[in-house]
Structure formats: structure tokens, C-alpha cells
């Protein structure tokens, strides 16, 4: 439970469970997604099952959209009415969404509440873990500026690697720094993506099969391991739970002291990854 006078606002793409949201009293704003001309809101009128069904059936490609700043201003106004003095707004990587940049630009216009935008430089569990870290620090009486300092340190130690089963959605979004490198992926290759220092997706490798791409990500993890006792790894998947469970089991067996969990790729992030993507996100244990 968040007992401080600073609210924590996150966007729905972090895909945190309702139990975690309740425990830490997070305020969640739902990211908009477009199929054709129709706008849906993640986890409100479209969930993961419906999204992946539509992805398979619809002719149009889904695209990410932008949360209107009027909606965000209403969120902040409501928090002020609830007695909060400030809000820490943590969003997915600014290189993938304009959400956190828009919040930053609107800060001078927000009255009655001091807003601190923070770009997680990550997605899914990477963003969610930063929100949990912030909540724990605030509940222990840590000053907001020190919280931001600790978040920056944690962000620098968070890594994301995802293998795509296809590149249709990513090419349609255009949200990749080295887009020309995807050309070979049309010939049966499975690209491996990370999030670079600019917060954008970048291809760092490609394999002919998903299982080979997973092995390549395993090798990256192993090379970067310093102390697996203090590492938390999340297997993320886009509608491929069986493969995810198998990978979780393999990691838990190989690294028995490492914290291994799972997170499904929700609709907003899946507008980039498409279906059947799978990968790892790792960071220090909380």
C-alpha cells in the first residue's frame, strides 16, 4: 500500500496484475490501440485474448495511439482531490511511445499537483519493477529526488531481449532504429531485439528458428551474469504460454537461486512484437 503523499501513475503496457496494482495503490492509465479506425483501450475494452484473435482475423494492422493529455490532466486533478501532493508518472520507453514525453511537456500546465515524469527506458516487467521499487522507497520515507536517482540506477541495470516470430507488426509501426536490417527477416529469419540507449527497438541478431533465437538470448544472459543470486528474470511471451513455461522451467533448473517469473505481452506492446514473440527481461531483485 502506498502510504506516502506521492501517487504513482503507470500506463497499462506494464501489464501488472490487478493484485500488484491494489497492493501498491498504483493509478493505471490505459493505453489506446487502433484497429483500422476503431480505438480500443488496453485491458478496458480489449484484453490479450481478444487482441490476438483480432490480430489473426483482421485485415488491418493494429497501431499504438496516444493517451490524450486532457485525460492525463483529469487523472492528476483527481489525485490532487484525493489529497496527494505529487505524482510520480512512470511510463514505457519514450522511444516506443509519446506518453511520457507528453506528460513532461504538460507539467507546467498541471495545477495543485507536482508531477515527476520518469521514462523507464523499458517495457512490461522492466517498467513494472521500477514502479514497485519506487513504491517501496516512498513507503520507507525516501525523498522523491532520491527515488528518481535510484530509478535511474535500476534502469541502467535492466535489460530487454525479445525474439519475434514475424516482423509484420514491427515493420508496420516503423518503430525500430535499424529498420533496413529487417529485410532479411522476410526470408524465414527470427530477429532478436533489444531496447537501445535512445529507448528504441534495435535488432541485435537473427536466427532461423525461435528456439535458436531463445538460445542466443540465453547466451547473452549468461555472459552478463555477475551474481544470479541477486537477479530477477522474467520470461515474456506474446500468446505462447507453453513455450514460456518451458523456458521458465529450464532457467529455474539452470539457475536455482535466480528469481524467475513470467509476464504476458499485452495488446499495446504486441502492436510492435506481433504474436508468438518471446524473450527475457532481467534486472536486480527488488
Amino acid at each position: 500500500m502506498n502510504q506516502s503523499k506521492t501517487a504513482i501513475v503507470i500506463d497499462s503496457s506494464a501489464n501488472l496484475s490487478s493484485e500488484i496494482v491494489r497492493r501498491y495503490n498504483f493509478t493505471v492509465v490505459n493505453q489506446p490501440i487502433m484497429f483500422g479506425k476503431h480505438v480500443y483501450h488496453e485491458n478496458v475494452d480489449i484484453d490479450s485474448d481478444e487482441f490476438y484473435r483480432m490480430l489473426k482475423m483482421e485485415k488491418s494492422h493494429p497501431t499504438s495511439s496516444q493517451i490524450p493529455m486532457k485525460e492525463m490532466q483529469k487523472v492528476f486533478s483527481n489525485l490532487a482531490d484525493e489529497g496527494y501532493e505529487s505524482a510520480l508518472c512512470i511510463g514505457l520507453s519514450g522511444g516506443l511511445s509519446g506518453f511520457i514525453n507528453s506528460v513532461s511537456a504538460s507539467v507546467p500546465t498541471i495545477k495543485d499537483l507536482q508531477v515527476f515524469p520518469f521514462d523507464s527506458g523499458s517495457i512490461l516487467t522492466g517498467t513494472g519493477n521500477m514502479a514497485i521499487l519506487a513504491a517501496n522507497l516512498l513507503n520507507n520515507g525516501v525523498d522523491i529526488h532520491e527515488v528518481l536517482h535510484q530509478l535511474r540506477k535500476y534502469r541502467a541495470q535492466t535489460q530487454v531481449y525479445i525474439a519475434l516470430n514475424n516482423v509484420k507488426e514491427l515493420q508496420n509501426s516503423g518503430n525500430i532504429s535499424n529498420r533496413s536490417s529487417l529485410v532479411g527477416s522476410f526470408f524465414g529469419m527470427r530477429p532478436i531485439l533489444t531496447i537501445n540507449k535512445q529507448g528504441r527497438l534495435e535488432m541485435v541478431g537473427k536466427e532461423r528458428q525461435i528456439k535458436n533465437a531463445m538460445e542466443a538470448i540465453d547466451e547473452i544472459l549468461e555472459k552478463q551474469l555477475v551474481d544470479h543470486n541477486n537477479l530477477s528474470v522474467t520470461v515474456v511471451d506474446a500468446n505462447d504460454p507453453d513455450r514460456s513455461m518451458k523456458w521458465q522451467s529450464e532457467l529455474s533448473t539452470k539457475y536455482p537461486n535466480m528469481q524467475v517469473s513470467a509476464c504476458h505481452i499485452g495488446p499495446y506492446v504486441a502492436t510492435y512484437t506481433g504474436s508468438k514473440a518471446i524473450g527475457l527481461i532481467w534486472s536486480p531483485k527488488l
Side-chain angles (χ1 to χ4, degrees):
M1 182 177 180
N2 184 2
Q3 298 175 335
S4 77
K5 292 185 178 180
T6 300
I8 297 178
V9 180
I10 60 170
D11 73 272
S12 58
S13 70
N15 218 20
L16 292 174
S17 69
S18 56
E19 192 275 329
I20 290 291
V21 170
R22 285 194 301 270
R23 183 190 306 175
Y24 293 100
N25 198 27
F26 292 146
T27 297
V28 180
V29 291
N30 300 92
Q31 290 278 17
I33 297 154
M34 294 187 69
F35 264 104
K37 295 182 179 180
H38 193 97
V39 179
Y40 299 88
H41 288 83
E42 186 173 42
N43 301 330
V44 175
D45 48 13
I46 188 168
D47 60 13
S48 293
D49 290 342
E50 179 65 8
F51 175 85
Y52 288 115
R53 186 195 68 78
M54 291 178 66
L55 189 63
K56 186 176 181 180
M57 302 297 294
E58 294 284 334
K59 292 182 180 180
S60 59
H61 289 278
T63 57
S64 58
S65 188
Q66 185 72 38
I67 298 175
M69 283 320 301
K70 284 186 178 180
E71 182 178 327
M72 290 306 304
Q73 288 172 337
K74 184 177 180 181
V75 168
F76 294 135
S77 177
N78 289 341
L79 290 172
D81 290 342
E82 291 173 20
Y84 287 102
E85 297 176 356
S86 58
L88 173 58
C89 188
I90 302 176
L92 81 161
S93 175
L96 301 178
S97 166
F99 168 64
I100 208 69
N101 295 326
S102 294
V103 171
S104 298
S106 68
V107 165
T109 69
I110 299 169
K111 308 299 181 184
D112 303 321
L113 192 77
Q114 191 171 12
V115 177
F116 298 90
F118 183 79
D119 184 340
S120 73
S122 191
I123 55 174
L124 301 164
T125 307
T127 304
N129 281 349
M130 291 180 211
I132 292 171
L133 172 62
N136 288 334
L137 291 170
L138 288 168
N139 285 336
N140 286 325
V142 177
D143 175 78
I144 183 63
H145 297 288
E146 177 60 24
V147 170
L148 290 168
H149 174 67
Q150 293 299 324
L151 285 175
R152 286 189 287 269
K153 288 174 60 178
Y154 194 87
R155 178 175 62 192
Q157 299 175 79
T158 299
Q159 299 290 322
V160 177
Y161 288 90
I162 296 179
L164 304 190
N165 190 52
N166 66 75
V167 298
K168 289 187 296 183
E169 268 58 59
L170 186 60
Q171 282 221 319
N172 184 62
S173 74
N175 213 324
I176 183 167
S177 61
N178 48 352
R179 189 176 182 181
S180 61
S181 63
L182 289 179
V183 173
S185 298
F186 281 114
F187 300 97
M189 302 301 285
R190 305 296 188 263
I192 300 169
L193 307 179
T194 190
I195 296 179
N196 62 23
K197 291 182 179 180
Q198 290 71 45
R200 300 193 68 193
L201 292 169
E202 180 175 327
M203 193 172 88
V204 293
K206 54 187 176 181
E207 299 289 342
R208 290 202 173 275
Q209 297 182 1
I210 277 287
K211 68 176 184 178
N212 299 123
M214 292 166 63
E215 289 170 0
I217 294 173
D218 267 333
E219 290 177 7
I220 296 170
L221 170 64
E222 191 165 358
K223 287 178 182 178
Q224 294 193 10
L225 273 179
V226 176
D227 182 5
H228 63 264
N229 292 319
N230 291 317
L231 196 70
S232 173
V233 175
T234 302
V235 181
V236 298
D237 77 279
N239 201 31
D240 200 351
D242 292 340
R243 197 186 297 271
S244 172
M245 288 179 64
K246 186 174 184 293
W247 204 359
Q248 291 172 63
S249 177
E250 291 170 353
L251 288 169
S252 295
T253 300
K254 188 174 183 179
Y255 306 108
N257 296 320
M258 189 166 67
Q259 188 178 75
V260 180
S261 60
C263 176
H264 297 303
I265 296 175
Y268 190 85
V269 175
T271 62
Y272 304 121
T273 68
S275 184
K276 304 301 181 182
I278 191 164
L280 299 180
I281 297 176
W282 61 84
S283 53
K285 282 183 182 177
L286 293 172

